[in-house]
């Protein structure tokens, strides 16, 4: 039977969402947007302000921003592609909330990121601690643009 794939993204300003939707289309996967309980305003996203919400969250490894929605049937997926923008070199804390909210046992998790220039760095492996059980992690990668040929090549490698 064909693998059932979910693409789940958090996207504060739309870049990761656009790439994630294209990945879902090409992979024939379901698409899910992780919606924060409290939407991030542009003031929240101001990385030049040490007191902005994003700065405060990223400085606190235990921060777990609430999520407003959920994946209806996580149990039915074999593979979950998780997309996020790089914030201060890693995934936003809300991705940690997401990963800690489900049982991923028996699944493969494939991280991808978008960024202003940073590569995936350790943003993928840093998330391994947030998931327990028997999970297969793919190496993460940065995909900043919804380029079909590039996405197809990548999906052939990781799926
Ligand atoms: C709080 C914050 C921190 C960021 N930190 C980084 C960073 O460390 N390196 C980088 O290349 N881009 C950084 N960026 C830029 C985002 O990763 C980039 O714009 C991303 O594509 C936004 O995706 P989105 O539109 O899906 O939210 C940061 C953006 C924000 C809001």
């Amino acid at each position: 039977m064909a693998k059932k794939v979910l693409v789940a993204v958090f996207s504060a300003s739309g870049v990761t969402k656009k790439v994630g939707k294209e990945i879902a289309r090409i992979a024939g996967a379901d698409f899910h947007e992780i919606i924060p309980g409290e939407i991030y305003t542009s003031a929240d996203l101001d990385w030049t302000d040490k007191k902005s919400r994003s700065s405060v969250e990223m400085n606190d490894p235990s921060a777990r921003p609430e999520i407003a929605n959920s994946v209806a049937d996580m149990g039915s997926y074999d593979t979950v592609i998780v997309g996020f923008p790089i914030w201060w070199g890693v995934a936003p804390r809300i991705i940690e909330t997401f990963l800690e909210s489900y049982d991923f046992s028996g699944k493969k998790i494939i991280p991808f990121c978008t960024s202003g220039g940073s590569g995936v760095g350790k943003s993928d492996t840093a998330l391994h601690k947030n998931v327990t059980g028997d999970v297969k992690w793919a190496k993460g990668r940065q995909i900043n643009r919804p380029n079909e040929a590039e996405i197809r090549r990548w999906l052939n490698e990781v799926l």
Side-chain angles (χ1 to χ4, degrees):
M1 222 166 65
K3 282 196 187 116
K4 200 172 168 205
V5 182
L6 177 71
V7 178
V9 305
F10 165 66
S11 183
S13 58
V15 176
T16 314
K17 183 174 177 177
K18 199 167 168 184
V19 175
K21 282 205 151 178
E22 184 65 355
I23 292 170
R25 184 185 70 77
I26 293 167
D30 291 340
F31 178 81
H32 173 81
E33 181 172 5
I34 299 164
I35 308 281
E38 200 183 321
I39 301 295
Y40 289 82
T41 63
S42 47
D44 289 340
L45 298 171
D46 184 355
W47 61 80
T48 66
D49 177 1
K50 284 195 178 106
K51 291 186 177 142
S52 75
R53 180 181 166 200
S54 57
S55 299
V56 171
E57 287 177 3
M58 298 316 286
N59 278 322
D60 175 7
S62 70
R64 293 293 181 274
E66 260 181 52
I67 296 175
N69 60 348
S70 59
V71 176
D73 195 6
M74 185 61 93
S76 71
Y77 294 99
D78 304 293
T79 301
V80 183
I81 299 175
V82 179
F84 51 85
I86 294 284
W87 283 9
W88 295 106
V90 291
R93 300 281 176 226
I94 197 166
I95 292 295
E96 301 192 62
T97 313
F98 177 77
L99 292 173
E100 290 171 1
S101 301
Y102 299 91
D103 179 4
F104 291 95
S105 293
K107 302 188 197 305
K108 184 172 188 179
I109 305 179
I110 305 173
F112 82 90
C113 67
T114 70
S115 80
S118 304
V120 72
K122 291 189 171 112
S123 68
D124 55 347
T125 52
L127 296 170
H128 294 191
K129 67 179 185 313
N130 301 99
V131 175
T132 54
D134 160 37
V135 170
K136 226 190 253 172
W137 280 93
K139 203 170 135 28
R141 68 162 285 186
Q142 180 210 53
I143 307 179
N144 270 355
R145 279 175 309 274
N147 177 296
E148 178 160 355
E150 185 187 342
I151 290 171
R152 272 192 198 286
R153 263 199 308 276
W154 172 66
L155 287 172
N156 280 336
E157 280 168 31
V158 290
L159 271 185

